[in-house]
Each structure stands twice: as structure tokens, then as C-alpha cells.
Amino acid sequence: MFRISKRKVTKPEARLLVRQIKLTPNIMGYSLTEWMTAEHIMVAEDENGSFVGACLSYDFHEDWNKIAALFVLKEFRGMGLGRSLFDKSCEDALKRRKNLYTISANKIVIKMMQDLDFVTFDSLAHLPKSANNKYKFVFYSHHLKWIANFYRLQEIARKTILYKSQKKFVYGVKLC
Ligand SMILES: CC(C)(COP(=O)(O)OP(=O)(O)OC[C@H]1O[C@@H](n2cnc3c(N)ncnc32)[C@H](O)[C@@H]1OP(=O)(O)O)[C@@H](O)C(=O)NCCC(=O)NCCS
């Protein structure tokens, strides 16, 4: 039995997430401080209350929420937890009347986006009309802010060298 709930992560959980996410090329990374201070996190726990996965999302504008990092511990993958965390994070943001934005290079997550009817595109230059008309500046300034983070810059550089592969990221938006 697993439980998904919205709550803050503890410092040991945040440390575990940072450590584990360093090992995946699919998430550029969020710092310990970002995990500790984030307001919107869905957490999956096993029957003993032990942490097994999380989905971090945050509002980057009064109308927009970004599903930023989805992670399930290796031994608990393939049991539906990733999808539940993703679905519940989307539901939570939509309930708060936020449009959704996410980016992924992971085919499992790209399928989750498609199953939830996200409109997908291949770069910010191809933002769908529905978002582009009113929010182009919001997306570009969010992206600049996201990248202008010392921890992330370090991780992007490290992962680009380490994994070498040029991952193809898929962008998605869903209006509430
Ligand atoms: C991506 C991730 C969160 C998925 O978590 P998960 O708990 O294994 O996912 P689920 O068990 O909910 O599976 C979701 C769907 O993917 C499918 N799936 C799971 N593992 C798969 C695999 N290895 N290959 C193909 N499909 C797979 C499942 O069948 C399921 O499909 P369905 O809901 O249509 O039946 C997990 O693999 C992970 O943490 N990966 C490392 C970090 C990462 O890449 N995060 C995504 C960054 S955007």
C-alpha cells in the first residue's frame, strides 16, 4: 500500500532527492534549498511511511504552474507511483486555477503529458498560440530565472559533459 499526499519534504528526504537526481540525465536538478522551500510537493510513501518518490511543482506566474521534477526511487518504479504523483500534481495546480507547463526528455513522462492532453512542442520558440499571445514574455523570463541559478548551472555543465548525449526535450502546456 502506498500513500500520496501533498506536504513539505524533510531535510533527509530533500538530501536523498538531490543525491539521486544527480544520477539522472533527465532532470537538470533542484538544490536542497529549492526542495526544502517548495510549496507544492506531492510525496509518495510506503506502508511504513517511508519516502519513495516525489513530484515538485511551483507557480512561476499567477496563471502558471510548472511540474518541475518527478522522481521515484528505483526499487519502486513501474508500480504506478510516477503516474499518480504526476496526475495529482496536475490536479492540484488545476484546482488552484493554474495552467500547466512541463518539460521532459523521458518517454514515460512524455506519454503522461499526452494522456492528460497536454499540447506538446519542441522549444519555447514554438510555444502554442494559446500561450504565446499573452504569456511569451512570462515563459522566457521564467526560463532565464530558472537557468540563472548557481546549483543548476553547475549541474547542467556537469551532466552535459558526463552524459554527452543531446537529450531531446519535449515541452507541454495544458490550459485550465
Ligand atoms: C519517470 C518515473 C518518475 C516514472 O515513475 P514510475 O513510478 O516508474 O512510473 P509508473 O509506474 O507510474 O508508470 C507510468 C507509465 O509508464 C509505463 N512505464 C513504466 N516504466 C516503463 C519502462 N521502463 N518502459 C516503458 N514504459 C514504462 C507504465 O507502464 C505506465 O504506463 P500506463 O500508466 O499507461 O500503464 C521514474 O522512472 C523515475 O523516477 N525516473 C528517473 C527520473 C526521471 O527521469 N524523471 C522524469 C523527469 S521529467
Side-chain angles (χ1 to χ4, degrees), residues 2 16 20 46 50-53 71-81:
F2 294 97
L16 175 67
Q20 292 289 321
D46 69 9
S50 298
F51 174 91
V52 297
F71 188 86
V72 173
L73 293 180
K74 242 187 194 140
E75 54 274 42
F76 296 95
R77 289 183 191 161
M79 300 178 186
L81 290 170

Side-chain angles (χ1 to χ4, degrees), residues 5-18:
S5 59
K6 185 175 179 179
R7 67 160 169 84
K8 297 251 180 196
V9 287
T10 63
K11 201 163 192 175
E13 290 167 348
R15 283 210 181 102
L16 175 67
L17 281 159
V18 169

Side-chain angles (χ1 to χ4, degrees), residues 21-131:
I21 287 173
K22 274 177 185 279
L23 306 175
T24 173
N26 292 328
I27 305 172
M28 285 311 164
Y30 288 86
S31 68
L32 187 71
T33 308
E34 287 176 308
W35 277 105
M36 294 294 298
T37 53
E39 214 179 308
H40 306 294
I41 307 185
M42 289 292 164
V43 176
E45 294 164 343
D46 69 9
E47 66 274 19
N48 303 314
S50 298
F51 174 91
V52 297
C55 184
L56 165 74
S57 77
Y58 55 85
D59 299 340
F60 62 97
H61 178 266
E62 60 184 357
D63 295 335
W64 287 92
N65 175 272
K66 183 177 183 183
I67 308 290
L70 176 65
F71 188 86
V72 173
L73 293 180
K74 242 187 194 140
E75 54 274 42
F76 296 95
R77 289 183 191 161
M79 300 178 186
L81 290 170
R83 182 177 284 275
S84 294
L85 286 164
F86 188 81
D87 288 356
K88 285 204 167 17
S89 296
C90 292
E91 263 169 41
D92 180 67
L94 290 171
K95 234 187 263 164
R96 292 184 293 105
R97 307 293 303 154
K98 306 294 177 198
N99 302 309
L100 301 172
Y101 173 47
T102 193
I103 307 172
S104 185
N106 185 322
K107 62 180 191 310
I108 300 175
V109 180
I110 294 165
K111 182 169 179 293
M112 290 181 196
M113 287 188 217
Q114 287 161 348
D115 290 347
L116 286 185
D117 296 327
F118 275 69
V119 176
T120 56
F121 49 104
D122 61 6
S123 78
L124 277 188
H126 298 128
L127 203 57
K129 253 196 184 139
S130 51

